[in-house]
Amino acid sequence: NVGLRNLGPLPPTFAIIASAGANGSISPTGSVSVYQGWSRTFFISPSNYCHVSTVLVDSVSAGAPTSYTFSGVSASHTIAASFDLNRDTNGVPQYWYVRYSMTNYMTDGMTDADGDGLKAWQEYYAGTVPTNPQSVLATTAFVATGGICRVTWYGTTNSGFTRAFGMDRSTNMVAWQTLTTNIARSATGTNTWIDSSPPAARSVFYRPLVIYP
């Protein structure tokens, strides 16, 4: 025999809207229905080489937990997780070091593994390879003709850092003048800038600038 008993209507439900930004996830996600008085836990997971930046519950920061529980739900809520890349003290992301088999991203940035004169963290901003001495931020050509000076140098966007280059000029290599900070970085690595009004000096020197945070 099967006995049935009327337990009355189910309690009302409330919606918890869960969302996650780039570089991580939240589970469950979307609109989650929860019965009044019940509890619901959400699990927050950063992607590799990332961390939880902040969790907003009803638009108020709840810190940076990897899980959050709504207890005794009596109203609708929102929960939104955001994530950041793990970075060293120079702002270089951990994933970039891992790409070159550098496993201790907090210290490897201070090494010059390929002996090209740039530390690993500097090569990230230059867009060069920290394990290849042939991949180095350097002037590759200089032409002075027809009243202009053309400077060509190597530096790519391969690291993911795409901020424009700048250019300094000097006539004595002591006092330098910044002429521009808006030279679009080339994905191919070949960057060229033309000084259309060089000074009437016997010697003129140029140096490309890497502008970083």
Side-chain angles (χ1 to χ4, degrees):
N1 293 330
V2 177
L4 299 177
R5 187 172 66 173
N6 185 357
L7 297 178
L10 290 172
T13 61
F14 296 98
I16 300 177
I17 309 298
S19 61
N23 300 316
S25 63
I26 188 169
S27 180
T29 189
S31 181
V32 180
S33 295
V34 181
Y35 286 117
Q36 182 179 21
W38 289 26
S39 298
R40 186 59 149 148
T41 298
F42 291 81
F43 298 95
I44 303 151
S45 303
S47 301
N48 289 339
Y49 318 122
C50 300
H51 62 274
V52 180
S53 173
T54 187
V55 175
L56 299 179
V57 175
D58 298 331
S59 300
V60 177
S61 176
T66 53
S67 67
Y68 186 90
T69 299
F70 292 92
S71 300
V73 172
S74 60
S76 294
H77 296 282
T78 60
I79 180 169
S82 60
F83 307 88
D84 279 338
L85 299 174
N86 295 340
R87 296 179 183 271
D88 69 7
T89 55
N90 292 299
V92 179
Q94 181 185 11
Y95 77 81
W96 183 79
Y97 288 114
V98 172
R99 180 186 300 173
Y100 300 105
S101 301
M102 296 181 173
T103 56
N104 191 338
Y105 75 102
M106 292 301 291
T107 59
D108 285 341
M110 301 306 295
T111 64
D112 179 11
D114 56 5
D116 63 4
L118 289 181
K119 295 178 180 178
W121 73 268
Q122 294 171 318
E123 300 223 39
Y124 168 78
Y125 291 113
T128 52
V129 177
T131 55
N132 180 359
Q134 304 305 313
S135 176
V136 63
L137 179 72
T139 300
T140 56
F142 177 78
V143 177
T145 182
I148 66 171
C149 293
R150 180 184 293 109
V151 186
T152 303
W153 69 97
Y154 182 78
T156 77
T157 59
N158 291 345
S159 67
F161 185 73
T162 60
R163 189 167 177 176
F165 285 113
M167 183 64 67
D168 277 358
R169 182 179 68 195
S170 176
T171 57
N172 56 17
M173 296 189 71
V174 176
W176 292 88
Q177 176 188 6
T178 298
L179 303 178
T180 180
T181 58
N182 195 33
I183 305 171
R185 187 179 288 232
S186 170
T188 66
T190 301
N191 303 271
T192 299
W193 182 79
I194 295 175
D195 185 359
S196 58
S197 301
R202 183 170 182 175
S203 299
V204 182
F205 305 91
Y206 296 88
R207 64 182 183 190
L209 296 177
V210 175
I211 303 167
Y212 63 93

